[in-house]
Amino acid sequence: MKTLIILAHPEIDKSIANKRITEMIQSKVDHVDVRSIADLYPDFKIDIATEQKNLLEYDTIVFQYPFFWYNMPAILKHWFDEVFNFNFAYGPEGDKLKGKNFLLSFTIGGPQDAYTPQGYNHFRIPQFLTPMEQTAYLAQMNYLEPVYEHGMVYIPGVYNTREAVERRADKHANKIIDTINSLANSAPEIKIKNFVKDWFANMDKLADDGYFNAHIANNAKLVFPEGEFTGHEGFSEWYNKIKQMIKPDCQHTIEALSVIPNNGHFNVNLSVYVKGESPNNKPIQIYAKENWKVEITRDHRIKIHEYIVESL
């Protein structure tokens, strides 16, 4: 599962909370990238194509920002105006973000009791978030429960201590980390996609066949251009032949990948491009279509029951 943090703090180097939260998430969660849009676009000239392309590569989008004037910093509002455009995020062809997770993560300077009907801000925080909730719905994204924390500003000698803000930032970051980990564990399609990527990463370095056989069912049907094989012994037989034909550190590029539930199993369809060298240094290039049938077991392991490869 890949997570992208859209960081929207106008002065992130001066931040205590937002900087600490972002760095903590990156250090404790795999496959997390950060785009600090205030640093990328100080002139507010958003590279729409680049931003849209980046969004397509991730499963969960976290919007990290300080709560400004009951809303978000101007750079983030402008980013939404530019990037979530017609026929990308909405419209007849605007399903590009469908199914991705949408998570608001923001810091609030004021105390919690200020955001009540009796407080000086009168409205509760969720009431201020309705436009963003509708944005997620329009883009067909999964709107997750927002994560926010109060008292996240330190004014020396006036309000808070640095240590108090840091403790709250750590608490906030842990909520985000728990959310991301929960999503990874509860989304089988995402789990399988990440497994496929790891499979080929190990295939590229020609890892020991024990890694692969741990995920091969005992009676798995294996069909490769080199012949048909069955189960662990069959995979090892095929794999040992492959290891004689290609050097380690080859490159698998996954050009298409889909995971479709099918009566308790999942059909995995992918197109791959392999680039490497033979033992006598001759270049090797292979295009292939692959069809897998996999299950996620009760102990959350992935087992492959069919593995069919067709060279193109």
Side-chain angles (χ1 to χ4, degrees):
M1 178 177 180
K2 294 181 65 178
T3 300
L4 176 64
I5 298 177
I6 299 295
L7 175 61
H9 194 299
E11 296 181 297
I12 190 62
D13 289 337
K14 297 180 181 180
S15 166
I16 297 175
N18 280 265
K19 184 177 182 180
R20 189 177 181 92
I21 290 166
T22 303
E23 291 176 349
M24 187 170 170
I25 295 169
Q26 277 193 294
S27 69
K28 293 192 174 184
V29 180
D30 294 332
H31 311 299
V32 174
D33 294 313
V34 177
R35 291 184 68 77
S36 179
I37 57 176
D39 292 330
L40 288 169
Y41 307 112
D43 56 2
F44 275 55
K45 294 180 180 179
I46 307 291
D47 185 336
I48 298 172
T50 294
E51 295 302 309
Q52 290 179 342
K53 181 181 178 183
N54 274 309
L55 289 176
L56 297 178
E57 297 177 3
Y58 295 85
D59 307 294
T60 297
I61 316 299
V62 178
F63 300 96
Q64 180 65 51
Y65 59 95
F67 200 57
F68 278 10
W69 280 105
Y70 315 111
N71 208 311
M72 61 184 66
I75 184 64
L76 184 54
K77 178 61 171 68
H78 182 59
W79 184 92
F80 272 110
D81 290 345
E82 294 288 287
V83 177
F84 274 44
N85 60 21
F86 183 73
N87 276 343
F88 178 76
Y90 70 101
E93 301 174 15
D95 61 352
K96 309 303 186 295
L97 302 176
K98 182 177 180 180
K100 295 182 183 294
N101 300 310
F102 182 109
L103 178 57
L104 299 176
S105 169
F106 54 94
T107 58
I108 304 168
Q112 185 173 358
D113 59 11
Y115 291 89
T116 64
Q118 294 75 35
Y120 61 82
N121 288 317
H122 300 296
F123 298 95
R124 295 179 176 86
I125 290 298
Q127 293 174 276
F128 293 111
L129 304 181
T130 304
M132 295 312 300
E133 185 172 359
Q134 173 56 21
T135 296
Y137 294 154
L138 187 63
Q140 303 178 72
M141 301 177 74
N142 301 322
Y143 183 76
L144 305 177
E145 187 69 24
V147 176
Y148 52 88
E149 201 72 36
H150 291 271
M152 297 288 259
V153 170
Y154 167 50
I155 304 175
V158 178
Y159 181 59
N160 269 330
T161 64
R162 185 182 184 94
E163 291 74 18
V165 172
E166 289 176 344
R167 284 196 302 272
R168 294 185 188 115
D170 290 349
K171 177 183 176 183
H172 182 122
N174 281 321
K175 289 181 181 178
I176 299 294
I177 292 166
D178 288 345
T179 298
I180 294 172
N181 288 337
S182 176
L183 289 169
N185 292 333
S186 64
E189 291 87 351
I190 294 173
K191 183 181 180 71
I192 291 170
K193 286 183 179 181
N194 287 331
F195 167 75
V196 171
K197 294 172 186 176
D198 289 340
W199 176 276
F200 284 122
N202 281 277
M203 187 74 74
D204 289 344
K205 63 185 181 184
L206 300 183
D208 185 82
D209 61 0
Y211 168 85
F212 304 100
N213 271 323
H215 300 283
I216 298 285
N218 291 333
N219 60 346
K221 177 183 178 182
L222 311 172
V223 181
F224 303 110
E226 294 77 21
E228 295 190 15
F229 305 85
T230 302
H232 297 167
E233 291 184 4
F235 182 87
S236 295
E237 180 184 347
W238 170 80
Y239 189 53
N240 286 329
K241 290 180 180 179
I242 294 300
K243 292 173 80 169
Q244 304 303 314
M245 297 167 56
I246 193 167
K247 288 183 176 181
D249 300 318
C250 53
Q251 176 186 347
H252 276 81
T253 300
I254 302 173
E255 298 187 338
L257 173 60
S258 66
V259 179
I260 304 169
N262 183 11
N263 295 323
H265 290 80
F266 295 86
N267 294 335
V268 182
N269 304 309
L270 58 154
S271 299
V272 298
Y273 167 62
V274 183
K275 183 178 180 181
E277 286 188 346
S278 68
N280 58 0
N281 300 322
K282 291 185 177 180
I284 294 176
Q285 297 186 67
I286 301 170
Y287 290 90
K289 281 188 176 180
E290 302 193 5
N291 298 291
W292 303 8
K293 181 181 178 181
V294 308
E295 71 164 324
I296 298 179
T297 64
R298 290 183 178 180
D299 60 353
H300 307 293
R301 294 181 60 80
I302 291 179
K303 284 289 184 182
I304 299 174
H305 292 269
E306 287 186 2
Y307 192 151
I308 300 173
V309 180
E310 177 186 359
S311 294
L312 300 178

